[in-house]
Amino acid sequence: MLTGSITIDFLTKLLHMKNLLFAFCSILTWSTLNAQVPTAMPPDANEFYNQSFPLLRPPLKNIVLRTAKAMKNRQANSDSLFKALHNNAALRSMSNNDIQGIIVLIMVQASKDADADLKNMVMGISHQNEEARAKARPASQKNTADKDEQQEIQNLKLQVIIDRKSKMAEEISYVMKRISGSQQMIIKNLK
């Protein structure tokens, strides 16, 4: 039996938020565990990143971090990124393969940043759920409409990040094919 301070509407919304969080976590878990997902981050790209990023010269590291941050709200496109980097005065003396290696580093870093954004959003949703449970008071229709709108906005943001990560993984795979066989030379050149 429900107490007077908790309404069916509120419980329904709370259940909806829990289901949303469960569904999102399920999607992330499934895509991580399913090795056949074509848009998963290529393992060789992570390995390349882990080997080369700590060794980068500081100016190159700054370019990688700054460019990855600038990609936050953009779709990944290795060709346009190549043109932009090729025209960068600090990188003009580099070979095309070295620039391709920097592109991989930028995109992997951008993907890691997107992972952090996803984690923060899920933690925020979880925190909101906890607050809602702690308050456990009836919600007015206006509050319910506001919460529905906020949920929809959060869902859209989550979907945009997931789509962006998927596209980025495809682009990274494409660039990794271009530099296959020359990765160790690229790492040496970027030190």
Side-chain angles (χ1 to χ4, degrees):
M1 184 138 197
L2 295 174
T3 64
S5 64
I6 301 177
T7 65
I8 302 281
D9 242 358
F10 179 77
L11 290 175
T12 304
K13 296 300 177 193
L14 188 59
L15 182 60
H16 176 69
M17 288 175 71
K18 283 184 181 178
N19 288 342
L20 171 69
L21 183 59
F22 176 76
F24 175 71
C25 291
S26 297
I27 290 170
L28 285 180
T29 303
W30 178 82
S31 64
T32 303
L33 295 176
N34 187 352
Q36 296 178 0
V37 175
T39 56
M41 179 68 67
D44 56 340
N46 273 327
E47 184 178 328
F48 177 74
Y49 178 89
N50 291 335
Q51 285 180 2
S52 59
F53 191 77
L55 304 175
L56 284 179
R57 297 182 298 246
L60 291 179
K61 195 174 278 192
N62 288 337
I63 289 171
V64 169
L65 294 173
R66 217 179 28 233
T67 307
K69 188 174 184 174
M71 289 179 62
K72 182 173 183 165
N73 296 317
R74 298 183 182 160
Q75 286 292 338
N77 183 311
S78 60
D79 293 332
S80 62
L81 193 53
F82 179 82
K83 288 176 188 173
L85 292 174
H86 192 66
N87 292 329
N88 185 321
L91 305 177
R92 286 210 176 133
S93 65
M94 295 191 141
S95 72
N96 289 346
N97 263 358
D98 293 343
I99 292 175
Q100 296 288 350
I102 292 171
I103 289 170
V104 170
L105 296 176
I106 290 168
M107 289 190 177
V108 171
Q109 181 63 50
S111 181
K112 288 179 181 293
D113 294 346
D115 286 341
D117 290 345
L118 283 171
K119 181 180 176 184
N120 289 337
M121 288 184 78
V122 170
M123 295 300 289
I125 291 169
S126 176
H127 181 70
Q128 287 174 352
N129 286 345
E130 288 174 15
E131 284 180 351
R133 266 186 260 132
K135 289 180 183 176
R137 64 177 184 216
S140 69
Q141 284 184 333
K142 184 180 186 315
N143 287 345
T144 302
D146 289 345
K147 288 179 185 176
D148 287 345
E149 187 175 325
Q150 287 175 353
Q151 283 178 328
E152 187 150 338
I153 290 169
Q154 286 176 337
N155 289 345
L156 289 173
K157 286 180 180 179
L158 289 172
Q159 189 59 49
V160 166
I161 293 171
I162 291 169
D163 290 347
R164 210 175 83 237
K165 280 186 55 61
S166 177
K167 174 68 173 161
M168 211 171 306
E170 290 174 13
E171 288 289 318
I172 290 170
S173 180
Y174 174 67
V175 178
M176 287 302 291
K177 288 177 186 172
R178 286 187 199 168
I179 65 170
S180 70
S182 59
Q183 294 171 14
Q184 292 306 315
M185 181 59 80
I186 292 170
I187 292 171
K188 182 181 172 188
N189 292 342
L190 298 180
K191 288 183 184 179

